[in-house]
Amino acid sequence: MKKKIFSGVQPTGNLHLGNYLGAIKNFVTLNNDDENDCIFCVVDLHAITVSQDPTILRENIRETVATFIASGIDPKKSIIFNQSQVSAHSEAAWILSCIARMGWLSRMTQFKEKAGKDKEKASVGLYSYPILMAADILLYDSTHVPVGNDQKQHLELCRDIAQKFNNDYRVDNFFKVPEPLIQKEFSRIMSLKDGSKKMSKSELSDLSRINLTDEKDQILNKIKKAKTDSLPIPSTVKELNSRPEARNLIGIYSSLANLTLENSIQDFTGKNFSEFKEKLSQILIDKIGPISKEIKRLLKDKSYLDKILDDGCKKAENIASAKIKEIHDIVGF
Ligand code: AMP
Ligand code: TRP
């Protein structure tokens, strides 16, 4: 049996190195393995849980598709589509919102972080967002879901929703209970300015992240300004653990070089950060530079990107509409 892989990325602009190392790089590996059927979804319904400018959203949807392809996902092998075009997602989200419990959702840390101090002003959609994510996954009988570490709790909720639906309606194994695919190392890339905060699209300072569209000069400048400490690079990972910024930069290097943290430390032990930063900038320019160029090239061909979405939507629609019909039957509609 082939593995069924599903993941989603929000088209909210500024796709960055954290998205790439935490998720998209893994999508590419999964796409390249013939044992997998992969679906990669541009989750535009999730994007509007916070306010979006319609013109910019439309461009960001295309930019997310361009990023997938520029990173190495092959649209002939994997389905790439945008969530809003397959109405089963919204419909299944409603049905599953009658399964999910308030108590489960109120434990979600991402909502607490995103809603901030004034929870009363957060949209209802931001609160119920993980139910829509469960709908995305369960409609396609997904067996494996590659994500960054920040999505772990949402996937546990998805598993709970699947199991409760199967139990409540006595339909054993109707929804497949998916496994998360979270990399052991480097699944949480931190801000270049503060090693205690995750690298994020929404952080005000652009110096906090490497965007996948950054050019050579921007990469050099951001790495030069990245926060470090005054100690040289240690000889063990244990010593790194109390130095979050240093650990993050060496983690980024290791992930790009496909090395373990132990191995890359050995190459740099005793050296100071200025020497390490030169190597880090170089590998970033080598790995991210071509992706950045390709994104910009693809963005000039909107009709190509729209055609990929159209084709992907048709394939996704076929799978999702069959599943939603079965859900109707089970629920008694
Ligand atoms: P989002 O941009 O929130 O839709 O995230 C898309 C994917 O990137 C998800 O699988 C996230 O878990 C992952 N991701 C986002 N930020 C980071 C980060 N700083 N480190 C690792 N993975 C991340
Ligand atoms: N919530 C995810 C994020 O913000 C995006 C997402 C939506 C997703 N639906 C999904 C990820 C389904 C995996 C599977 O990163």
Side-chain angles (χ1 to χ4, degrees), residues 6-10 43 46 83 110 114 129 132-133 136-137 145-147 150-151 154-155:
F6 187 100
S7 196
V9 174
Q10 296 192 60
V43 291
H46 278 104
Q83 192 188 28
Q110 184 175 293
K114 286 200 178 173
Y129 166 126
L132 176 60
M133 178 164 162
D136 299 341
I137 296 167
V145 183
V147 281
D150 61 335
Q151 297 301 313
H154 291 162
L155 277 177

PDB file of all heavy atoms in Angstrom, residues 6-10 43 46 83 110 114 129 132-133 136-137 145-147 150-151 154-155, ligand 2:
ATOM      1  N   PHE A   6      -0.166  14.146   2.966  1.00  0.00           N
ATOM      2  CA  PHE A   6      -0.890  15.418   2.781  1.00  0.00           C
ATOM      3  C   PHE A   6      -0.244  16.485   3.644  1.00  0.00           C
ATOM      4  O   PHE A   6       0.066  16.254   4.805  1.00  0.00           O
ATOM      5  CB  PHE A   6      -2.360  15.278   3.215  1.00  0.00           C
ATOM      6  CG  PHE A   6      -3.196  16.494   2.885  1.00  0.00           C
ATOM      7  CD1 PHE A   6      -4.024  16.504   1.772  1.00  0.00           C
ATOM      8  CD2 PHE A   6      -3.121  17.640   3.668  1.00  0.00           C
ATOM      9  CE1 PHE A   6      -4.768  17.636   1.445  1.00  0.00           C
ATOM     10  CE2 PHE A   6      -3.863  18.777   3.348  1.00  0.00           C
ATOM     11  CZ  PHE A   6      -4.698  18.773   2.235  1.00  0.00           C
ATOM     12  N   SER A   7      -0.029  17.664   3.067  1.00  0.00           N
ATOM     13  CA  SER A   7       0.347  18.796   3.917  1.00  0.00           C
ATOM     14  C   SER A   7      -0.156  20.102   3.320  1.00  0.00           C
ATOM     15  O   SER A   7      -0.535  20.158   2.146  1.00  0.00           O
ATOM     16  CB  SER A   7       1.852  18.857   4.152  1.00  0.00           C
ATOM     17  OG  SER A   7       2.115  19.722   5.257  1.00  0.00           O
ATOM     18  N   GLY A   8      -0.168  21.133   4.146  1.00  0.00           N
ATOM     19  CA  GLY A   8      -0.666  22.434   3.708  1.00  0.00           C
ATOM     20  C   GLY A   8       0.266  23.556   4.136  1.00  0.00           C
ATOM     21  O   GLY A   8       0.945  23.445   5.149  1.00  0.00           O
ATOM     22  N   VAL A   9       0.284  24.606   3.321  1.00  0.00           N
ATOM     23  CA  VAL A   9       1.052  25.804   3.663  1.00  0.00           C
ATOM     24  C   VAL A   9       0.151  27.014   3.415  1.00  0.00           C
ATOM     25  O   VAL A   9      -0.534  27.090   2.382  1.00  0.00           O
ATOM     26  CB  VAL A   9       2.338  25.909   2.812  1.00  0.00           C
ATOM     27  CG1 VAL A   9       3.059  27.229   3.060  1.00  0.00           C
ATOM     28  CG2 VAL A   9       3.280  24.742   3.106  1.00  0.00           C
ATOM     29  N   GLN A  10       0.141  27.951   4.347  1.00  0.00           N
ATOM     30  CA  GLN A  10      -0.709  29.138   4.191  1.00  0.00           C
ATOM     31  C   GLN A  10      -0.089  30.140   3.210  1.00  0.00           C
ATOM     32  O   GLN A  10       1.104  30.430   3.322  1.00  0.00           O
ATOM     33  CB  GLN A  10      -0.860  29.840   5.530  1.00  0.00           C
ATOM     34  CG  GLN A  10      -1.560  29.001   6.553  1.00  0.00           C
ATOM     35  CD  GLN A  10      -1.937  29.838   7.753  1.00  0.00           C
ATOM     36  OE1 GLN A  10      -2.690  30.807   7.645  1.00  0.00           O
ATOM     37  NE2 GLN A  10      -1.415  29.479   8.898  1.00  0.00           N
ATOM     38  N   VAL A  43      -3.326  26.509   1.596  1.00  0.00           N
ATOM     39  CA  VAL A  43      -4.516  26.598   2.452  1.00  0.00           C
ATOM     40  C   VAL A  43      -4.995  28.062   2.580  1.00  0.00           C
ATOM     41  O   VAL A  43      -4.807  28.728   3.587  1.00  0.00           O
ATOM     42  CB  VAL A  43      -4.302  25.917   3.829  1.00  0.00           C
ATOM     43  CG1 VAL A  43      -4.206  24.409   3.651  1.00  0.00           C
ATOM     44  CG2 VAL A  43      -3.064  26.405   4.551  1.00  0.00           C
ATOM     45  N   HIS A  46      -7.462  28.882   5.408  1.00  0.00           N
ATOM     46  CA  HIS A  46      -6.784  29.156   6.684  1.00  0.00           C
ATOM     47  C   HIS A  46      -6.220  30.583   6.721  1.00  0.00           C
ATOM     48  O   HIS A  46      -6.194  31.213   7.771  1.00  0.00           O
ATOM     49  CB  HIS A  46      -5.636  28.160   6.921  1.00  0.00           C
ATOM     50  CG  HIS A  46      -6.092  26.847   7.488  1.00  0.00           C
ATOM     51  ND1 HIS A  46      -6.192  25.701   6.743  1.00  0.00           N
ATOM     52  CD2 HIS A  46      -6.473  26.514   8.744  1.00  0.00           C
ATOM     53  CE1 HIS A  46      -6.622  24.710   7.512  1.00  0.00           C
ATOM     54  NE2 HIS A  46      -6.798  25.176   8.727  1.00  0.00           N
ATOM     55  N   GLN A  83      -7.072  25.101  -1.438  1.00  0.00           N
ATOM     56  CA  GLN A  83      -8.149  24.597  -0.584  1.00  0.00           C
ATOM     57  C   GLN A  83      -9.531  25.178  -0.922  1.00  0.00           C
ATOM     58  O   GLN A  83     -10.515  24.448  -0.971  1.00  0.00           O
ATOM     59  CB  GLN A  83      -7.727  24.993   0.828  1.00  0.00           C
ATOM     60  CG  GLN A  83      -8.439  24.423   1.990  1.00  0.00           C
ATOM     61  CD  GLN A  83      -7.941  25.143   3.239  1.00  0.00           C
ATOM     62  OE1 GLN A  83      -7.511  26.299   3.186  1.00  0.00           O
ATOM     63  NE2 GLN A  83      -7.985  24.466   4.371  1.00  0.00           N
ATOM     64  N   GLN A 110      -1.295  27.429  19.716  1.00  0.00           N
ATOM     65  CA  GLN A 110      -1.126  28.379  18.620  1.00  0.00           C
ATOM     66  C   GLN A 110      -2.213  29.459  18.645  1.00  0.00           C
ATOM     67  O   GLN A 110      -1.947  30.625  18.386  1.00  0.00           O
ATOM     68  CB  GLN A 110      -1.123  27.680  17.256  1.00  0.00           C
ATOM     69  CG  GLN A 110      -0.848  28.673  16.128  1.00  0.00           C
ATOM     70  CD  GLN A 110      -0.717  28.010  14.774  1.00  0.00           C
ATOM     71  OE1 GLN A 110       0.210  27.273  14.502  1.00  0.00           O
ATOM     72  NE2 GLN A 110      -1.676  28.285  13.912  1.00  0.00           N
ATOM     73  N   LYS A 114      -1.484  33.345  18.745  1.00  0.00           N
ATOM     74  CA  LYS A 114      -1.918  34.227  17.654  1.00  0.00           C
ATOM     75  C   LYS A 114      -2.964  35.228  18.112  1.00  0.00           C
ATOM     76  O   LYS A 114      -3.010  36.348  17.609  1.00  0.00           O
ATOM     77  CB  LYS A 114      -2.468  33.413  16.482  1.00  0.00           C
ATOM     78  CG  LYS A 114      -1.390  32.714  15.683  1.00  0.00           C
ATOM     79  CD  LYS A 114      -1.892  32.355  14.295  1.00  0.00           C
ATOM     80  CE  LYS A 114      -0.797  31.694  13.479  1.00  0.00           C
ATOM     81  NZ  LYS A 114      -1.270  31.174  12.204  1.00  0.00           N
ATOM     82  N   TYR A 129      -9.788  26.921  13.516  1.00  0.00           N
ATOM     83  CA  TYR A 129      -8.787  26.615  12.470  1.00  0.00           C
ATOM     84  C   TYR A 129      -8.277  25.159  12.476  1.00  0.00           C
ATOM     85  O   TYR A 129      -8.201  24.515  11.430  1.00  0.00           O
ATOM     86  CB  TYR A 129      -7.698  27.650  12.710  1.00  0.00           C
ATOM     87  CG  TYR A 129      -6.352  27.582  12.111  1.00  0.00           C
ATOM     88  CD1 TYR A 129      -5.864  28.673  11.376  1.00  0.00           C
ATOM     89  CD2 TYR A 129      -5.489  26.509  12.316  1.00  0.00           C
ATOM     90  CE1 TYR A 129      -4.582  28.669  10.877  1.00  0.00           C
ATOM     91  CE2 TYR A 129      -4.217  26.514  11.811  1.00  0.00           C
ATOM     92  CZ  TYR A 129      -3.772  27.587  11.091  1.00  0.00           C
ATOM     93  OH  TYR A 129      -2.516  27.587  10.581  1.00  0.00           O
ATOM     94  N   LEU A 132     -10.610  22.754  10.580  1.00  0.00           N
ATOM     95  CA  LEU A 132     -10.465  22.822   9.115  1.00  0.00           C
ATOM     96  C   LEU A 132      -9.221  22.034   8.694  1.00  0.00           C
ATOM     97  O   LEU A 132      -9.233  21.320   7.681  1.00  0.00           O
ATOM     98  CB  LEU A 132     -10.370  24.296   8.685  1.00  0.00           C
ATOM     99  CG  LEU A 132     -10.131  24.573   7.203  1.00  0.00           C
ATOM    100  CD1 LEU A 132     -11.250  24.007   6.333  1.00  0.00           C
ATOM    101  CD2 LEU A 132     -10.002  26.088   6.957  1.00  0.00           C
ATOM    102  N   MET A 133      -8.185  22.140   9.478  1.00  0.00           N
ATOM    103  CA  MET A 133      -6.952  21.384   9.167  1.00  0.00           C
ATOM    104  C   MET A 133      -7.219  19.876   9.239  1.00  0.00           C
ATOM    105  O   MET A 133      -6.751  19.107   8.391  1.00  0.00           O
ATOM    106  CB  MET A 133      -5.854  21.805  10.160  1.00  0.00           C
ATOM    107  CG  MET A 133      -4.565  21.080   9.992  1.00  0.00           C
ATOM    108  SD  MET A 133      -3.234  21.963  10.853  1.00  0.00           S
ATOM    109  CE  MET A 133      -2.024  20.648  10.946  1.00  0.00           C
ATOM    110  N   ASP A 136      -9.000  18.881   6.094  1.00  0.00           N
ATOM    111  CA  ASP A 136      -8.049  18.774   4.969  1.00  0.00           C
ATOM    112  C   ASP A 136      -7.432  17.374   4.933  1.00  0.00           C
ATOM    113  O   ASP A 136      -7.367  16.725   3.888  1.00  0.00           O
ATOM    114  CB  ASP A 136      -6.874  19.762   5.139  1.00  0.00           C
ATOM    115  CG  ASP A 136      -7.291  21.220   5.170  1.00  0.00           C
ATOM    116  OD1 ASP A 136      -8.403  21.524   4.719  1.00  0.00           O
ATOM    117  OD2 ASP A 136      -6.485  22.048   5.668  1.00  0.00           O
ATOM    118  N   ILE A 137      -6.967  16.963   6.090  1.00  0.00           N
ATOM    119  CA  ILE A 137      -6.202  15.713   6.174  1.00  0.00           C
ATOM    120  C   ILE A 137      -7.111  14.497   5.985  1.00  0.00           C
ATOM    121  O   ILE A 137      -6.804  13.580   5.221  1.00  0.00           O
ATOM    122  CB  ILE A 137      -5.495  15.644   7.551  1.00  0.00           C
ATOM    123  CG1 ILE A 137      -4.476  16.790   7.676  1.00  0.00           C
ATOM    124  CG2 ILE A 137      -4.850  14.280   7.781  1.00  0.00           C
ATOM    125  CD1 ILE A 137      -3.950  17.013   9.092  1.00  0.00           C
ATOM    126  N   VAL A 145       1.503  12.988   7.593  1.00  0.00           N
ATOM    127  CA  VAL A 145       1.407  14.446   7.438  1.00  0.00           C
ATOM    128  C   VAL A 145       2.732  15.112   7.838  1.00  0.00           C
ATOM    129  O   VAL A 145       3.056  15.210   9.020  1.00  0.00           O
ATOM    130  CB  VAL A 145       0.249  15.003   8.303  1.00  0.00           C
ATOM    131  CG1 VAL A 145       0.106  16.507   8.096  1.00  0.00           C
ATOM    132  CG2 VAL A 145      -1.063  14.307   7.971  1.00  0.00           C
ATOM    133  N   PRO A 146       3.519  15.540   6.835  1.00  0.00           N
ATOM    134  CA  PRO A 146       4.796  16.195   7.157  1.00  0.00           C
ATOM    135  C   PRO A 146       4.577  17.665   7.538  1.00  0.00           C
ATOM    136  O   PRO A 146       3.995  18.425   6.773  1.00  0.00           O
ATOM    137  CB  PRO A 146       5.580  16.095   5.833  1.00  0.00           C
ATOM    138  CG  PRO A 146       4.522  16.026   4.772  1.00  0.00           C
ATOM    139  CD  PRO A 146       3.310  15.379   5.376  1.00  0.00           C
ATOM    140  N   VAL A 147       5.024  18.024   8.707  1.00  0.00           N
ATOM    141  CA  VAL A 147       4.874  19.419   9.189  1.00  0.00           C
ATOM    142  C   VAL A 147       6.057  19.785  10.073  1.00  0.00           C
ATOM    143  O   VAL A 147       6.819  18.923  10.510  1.00  0.00           O
ATOM    144  CB  VAL A 147       3.577  19.605  10.036  1.00  0.00           C
ATOM    145  CG1 VAL A 147       2.353  19.728   9.172  1.00  0.00           C
ATOM    146  CG2 VAL A 147       3.420  18.504  11.066  1.00  0.00           C
ATOM    147  N   ASP A 150       5.694  23.053  15.170  1.00  0.00           N
ATOM    148  CA  ASP A 150       4.597  23.874  15.707  1.00  0.00           C
ATOM    149  C   ASP A 150       3.209  23.306  15.400  1.00  0.00           C
ATOM    150  O   ASP A 150       2.225  23.733  15.995  1.00  0.00           O
ATOM    151  CB  ASP A 150       4.705  25.323  15.176  1.00  0.00           C
ATOM    152  CG  ASP A 150       4.618  25.392  13.664  1.00  0.00           C
ATOM    153  OD1 ASP A 150       4.934  24.402  12.986  1.00  0.00           O
ATOM    154  OD2 ASP A 150       4.216  26.446  13.146  1.00  0.00           O
ATOM    155  N   GLN A 151       3.127  22.331  14.479  1.00  0.00           N
ATOM    156  CA  GLN A 151       1.822  21.773  14.114  1.00  0.00           C
ATOM    157  C   GLN A 151       1.495  20.457  14.827  1.00  0.00           C
ATOM    158  O   GLN A 151       0.461  19.841  14.567  1.00  0.00           O
ATOM    159  CB  GLN A 151       1.739  21.561  12.593  1.00  0.00           C
ATOM    160  CG  GLN A 151       1.847  22.847  11.803  1.00  0.00           C
ATOM    161  CD  GLN A 151       0.749  23.819  12.178  1.00  0.00           C
ATOM    162  OE1 GLN A 151      -0.422  23.460  12.270  1.00  0.00           O
ATOM    163  NE2 GLN A 151       1.125  25.064  12.433  1.00  0.00           N
ATOM    164  N   HIS A 154      -1.841  20.345  16.657  1.00  0.00           N
ATOM    165  CA  HIS A 154      -2.981  20.307  15.736  1.00  0.00           C
ATOM    166  C   HIS A 154      -3.184  18.907  15.160  1.00  0.00           C
ATOM    167  O   HIS A 154      -4.311  18.484  14.908  1.00  0.00           O
ATOM    168  CB  HIS A 154      -2.778  21.311  14.595  1.00  0.00           C
ATOM    169  CG  HIS A 154      -2.862  22.738  15.039  1.00  0.00           C
ATOM    170  ND1 HIS A 154      -2.366  23.780  14.293  1.00  0.00           N
ATOM    171  CD2 HIS A 154      -3.377  23.293  16.162  1.00  0.00           C
ATOM    172  CE1 HIS A 154      -2.596  24.922  14.928  1.00  0.00           C
ATOM    173  NE2 HIS A 154      -3.191  24.648  16.066  1.00  0.00           N
ATOM    174  N   LEU A 155      -2.081  18.203  14.941  1.00  0.00           N
ATOM    175  CA  LEU A 155      -2.213  16.843  14.399  1.00  0.00           C
ATOM    176  C   LEU A 155      -2.772  15.883  15.441  1.00  0.00           C
ATOM    177  O   LEU A 155      -3.537  14.971  15.108  1.00  0.00           O
ATOM    178  CB  LEU A 155      -0.852  16.339  13.920  1.00  0.00           C
ATOM    179  CG  LEU A 155      -0.514  16.826  12.526  1.00  0.00           C
ATOM    180  CD1 LEU A 155       0.860  16.362  12.111  1.00  0.00           C
ATOM    181  CD2 LEU A 155      -1.534  16.280  11.543  1.00  0.00           C
TER     182      LEU A 155
HETATM  183  N1  TRP B   2      -2.033  24.793   9.945  1.00  0.00           N
HETATM  184  C1  TRP B   2      -0.877  24.579   9.119  1.00  0.00           C
HETATM  185  C2  TRP B   2       0.148  25.705   9.375  1.00  0.00           C
HETATM  186  O1  TRP B   2      -0.191  26.783   9.749  1.00  0.00           O
HETATM  187  C3  TRP B   2      -1.235  24.549   7.670  1.00  0.00           C
HETATM  188  C4  TRP B   2      -2.173  23.434   7.330  1.00  0.00           C
HETATM  189  C5  TRP B   2      -3.495  23.559   7.014  1.00  0.00           C
HETATM  190  C6  TRP B   2      -1.851  22.054   7.245  1.00  0.00           C
HETATM  191  N2  TRP B   2      -4.006  22.333   6.722  1.00  0.00           N
HETATM  192  C7  TRP B   2      -3.050  21.393   6.859  1.00  0.00           C
HETATM  193  C8  TRP B   2      -0.694  21.329   7.466  1.00  0.00           C
HETATM  194  C9  TRP B   2      -3.117  20.004   6.702  1.00  0.00           C
HETATM  195  C10 TRP B   2      -0.768  19.936   7.308  1.00  0.00           C
HETATM  196  C11 TRP B   2      -1.943  19.286   6.947  1.00  0.00           C
HETATM  197  O2  TRP B   2       1.294  25.518   9.146  1.00  0.00           O
END
